[in-house]
Amino acid sequence: MITRSCYAVLVVLTGWFILVLLQFLRWTGVITMNFGADSQIHQATWSTEGKVLMIQYIELLGYLLSSLLMITSSFRLMILCLQGINSKKIFTRKNAKLLWVITFVSFFFTLFYTNIPILFGNREIQFGSNLIVSPLTFLIMTLLYESAVSISEENELTI
């Protein structure tokens, strides 16, 4: 059952990567196809003002980098979990390090994801409770996983 879940997560991560790629290509005008009647993914409205344009570029780059880091880190974690299932050892330090990376990146991903409207002319940077709740949830899961790693190392446990 866990193996199937890992494979399902890998499929979802692949779909997320394709979506991010399509968003980037459409926002930058590389492709001109309309998605969702041009209401879902449409071309960015680039500002003519230098400072606003710089903020838009930072937003686009931050969203792209944080998305790719989340996807690759999560993908790597799933691959390591699948390998761990075969070797009967899931709770490893390598997995814990990847969870710390995901926890750290989740703050920036949430920040940039929340502020995507900046690319379309919105001039307000949004800060909400989701900026704290999402990374906090990852932090709690990572700390629980760290505890499981420590216990499994002390007692030489396998699955």
Side-chain angles (χ1 to χ4, degrees):
M1 184 66 173
I2 269 189
T3 305
R4 281 191 240 157
S5 298
C6 288
Y7 283 119
V9 170
L10 290 174
V11 169
V12 169
L13 289 171
T14 303
W16 184 14
F17 173 76
I18 292 168
L19 175 65
V20 168
L21 180 65
L22 284 175
Q23 285 175 320
F24 177 73
L25 293 175
R26 181 65 180 121
W27 290 342
T28 56
V30 173
I31 58 174
T32 57
M33 282 180 10
N34 288 333
F35 298 93
D38 203 33
S39 64
Q40 302 300 317
I41 304 175
H42 49 95
Q43 190 165 351
T45 309
W46 300 107
S47 177
T48 56
E49 298 176 40
K51 291 180 182 179
V52 175
L53 185 61
M54 185 175 70
I55 290 171
Q56 286 180 316
Y57 283 142
I58 291 169
E59 169 63 29
L60 180 63
L61 187 62
Y63 173 73
L64 188 63
L65 288 177
S66 63
S67 294
L68 293 177
L69 276 170
M70 284 289 282
I71 293 167
T72 56
S73 299
S74 300
F75 202 89
R76 182 72 181 135
L77 181 64
M78 287 299 103
I79 296 297
L80 289 174
C81 283
L82 284 169
Q83 291 171 350
I85 290 169
N86 291 335
S87 66
K88 305 278 192 244
K89 186 157 180 148
I90 293 179
F91 300 109
T92 65
R93 287 280 165 211
K94 201 182 272 190
N95 291 1
K97 287 178 185 175
L98 273 172
L99 277 172
W100 280 112
V101 169
I102 292 169
T103 300
F104 179 74
V105 171
S106 71
F107 172 79
F108 293 101
F109 172 75
T110 305
L111 174 68
F112 289 116
Y113 175 76
T114 304
N115 288 295
I116 283 176
I118 288 173
L119 295 176
F120 307 103
N122 191 349
R123 296 244 177 148
E124 295 177 355
I125 296 177
Q126 306 292 321
F127 294 102
S129 59
N130 62 337
L131 192 59
I132 296 167
V133 172
S134 177
L136 184 62
T137 304
F138 276 111
L139 178 62
I140 291 168
M141 289 187 309
T142 302
L143 291 172
L144 288 171
Y145 195 89
E146 279 280 347
S147 298
V149 168
S150 296
I151 291 169
S152 70
E153 285 176 347
E154 286 174 14
N155 299 316
E156 298 178 15
L157 299 175
T158 57
I159 297 175

